[in-house]
Amino acid sequence: MNATVPVLKSTAPNVPIHKTLTGQKALVTGANSGIGRGVAIALGQAGADVVVNYVEGDDAANAVVDELRGFGVQALAYKADVSSEEQVAAMFRQMIAQFGTIDILVNNAGLQRDSAFHAMTLAQWNTVLGINLTGQFLCAREAVREFVRRGVVPAVSCAAGKIICMSSVHQEIPWAGHANYATSKGGIKMLMESLAQEVAPQRIRVNAIAPGAIRTPINTSAWNTPEAYKQLMTLVPYGRIGEPVDIARAAVWLASDQSDYVVGTTLFVDGGMTLYPGFATGG
Ligand code: NAD
């Protein structure tokens, strides 16, 4: 296995993204960095108009908007804290005023506040649960309200709406020192599945993506030195780190009618991390 750190060059293949989302209206939370940025850009390449939600970093958000407009789609940067009920409601009002409706929600915003369990503060716990889990509830609720109000528009999509929840391999893999984060992702699994079951009869599709190790600012220390990268690769049978575009392609597929019969599923995009690689040589 080659454990050289490919710092500058993407490790992901350069596969084209097809126009499967033309005219659809998408909102991506946490879209000015990492995975959310990659997803927003891919949705735009697929033809969707995109709201780029972010909480800080105006310049980075505006850069994503500029890139999206370069694809000939509409784009709007909107600053809102997804853990705030008022700010989320205002963001959806603005999106509907400007774009007319919403077809695709990508619930991506998330963070870590790591700590040994005995030292974890209530603030660390509440921040992670508030943004990673309650934030997904608040955004999904607004989206579902609009999907139900509008219903299916056959010229746009077979479904009345699509929600993609960004989970993690840590909805399955326990993670010492990250109890708040792993709990939030375990919660997303049940939120996603319960909501999918509830709204499928209204032809709303709710699914999740569980990324493995993706090269973004959230986990820089796991890949930015040769030693860290080599150690990380012991957890990844496929032998390379994931890139935001690996997740973005999965999101485009889950948002499109190509996946119309996929309901309530978590798609693991993890290079095999959940295959228990420690057992590859025995166990
Ligand atoms: P990142 O730090 O690059 O991006 C996180 C984004 O969330 C940023 O745009 C940030 O501004 C936004 N955000 C944070 N708090 C917010 C709030 N209160 N309201 C609105 N936006 C907020 O990290 P990333 O790696 O791109 O993570 C994106 C998602 O993917 C997260 O949910 C994360 O848990 C998940 N994930 C990442 C990995 C990985 O290896 N990078 C693996 C599994 C899951």
Side-chain angles (χ1 to χ4, degrees):
M1 184 186 299
N2 180 358
T4 310
V5 190
V7 173
L8 297 173
K9 196 171 172 299
S10 172
T11 61
N14 188 14
V15 183
I17 291 174
H18 300 296
K19 295 256 177 226
T20 52
L21 301 173
T22 303
Q24 298 201 42
K25 317 296 179 193
L27 189 158
V28 184
T29 66
N32 68 346
S33 176
I35 290 172
R37 177 181 178 280
V39 169
I41 287 167
L43 294 177
Q45 287 174 318
D49 300 321
V50 184
V51 175
V52 174
N53 161 257
Y54 68 106
V55 73
E56 57 187 32
D58 298 349
D59 290 349
N62 290 331
V64 178
V65 165
D66 287 346
E67 195 166 344
L68 284 165
R69 289 183 180 151
F71 304 135
V73 299
Q74 294 183 75
L76 165 73
Y78 194 95
K79 185 172 184 164
D81 177 349
V82 295
S83 68
S84 159
E85 187 173 28
E86 297 75 30
Q87 291 181 36
V88 167
M91 174 167 67
F92 275 77
R93 279 198 301 275
Q94 180 66 29
M95 177 173 186
I96 290 165
Q98 208 152 328
F99 285 6
T101 190
I102 178 169
D103 302 292
I104 299 159
L105 167 67
V106 183
N107 257 336
N108 167 79
L111 46 62
Q112 293 177 211
R113 292 288 181 267
D114 306 333
S115 171
F117 192 79
H118 70 273
M120 188 175 286
T121 64
L122 182 59
Q124 287 172 316
W125 177 268
N126 283 340
T127 297
V128 172
L129 270 292
I131 293 168
N132 294 15
L133 184 57
T134 306
Q136 294 216 9
F137 158 68
L138 291 170
C139 292
R141 191 180 60 174
E142 294 299 325
V144 165
R145 287 172 176 167
E146 172 61 10
F147 296 158
V148 169
R149 183 201 66 75
R150 192 205 57 235
V152 178
V153 179
V156 174
S157 175
C158 306
K162 283 86 54 159
I163 297 175
I164 299 165
C165 302
M166 205 56 71
S167 184
S168 164
V169 291
H170 295 296
Q171 73 170 41
E172 293 291 330
I173 304 175
W175 205 12
H178 307 74
N180 47 1
Y181 183 82
T183 301
S184 74
K185 297 301 183 180
I188 287 168
K189 176 180 189 291
M190 266 302 155
L191 168 64
M192 182 280 286
E193 292 178 4
S194 300
L195 177 58
Q197 187 190 61
E198 185 167 329
V199 299
Q202 286 137 303
R203 295 192 71 91
I204 297 167
R205 294 195 299 114
V206 187
N207 291 287
I209 297 173
I214 310 301
R215 189 197 335 231
T216 76
I218 211 174
N219 59 2
T220 307
S221 63
W223 51 260
N224 73 344
T225 66
E227 298 72 34
Y229 191 79
K230 190 171 175 210
Q231 178 63 28
L232 182 64
M233 286 308 103
T234 66
L235 301 175
V236 186
Y238 203 56
R240 72 165 173 87
I241 196 166
E243 306 287 353
V245 73
D246 290 307
I247 305 303
R249 288 197 194 102
V252 168
W253 180 73
L254 278 175
S256 78
D257 287 350
Q258 303 270 353
S259 62
D260 185 54
Y261 208 50
V262 180
V263 174
T265 290
T266 298
L267 180 57
F268 285 79
V269 183
D270 68 353
M273 188 178 253
T274 38
L275 294 175
Y276 298 95
F279 282 78
T281 52

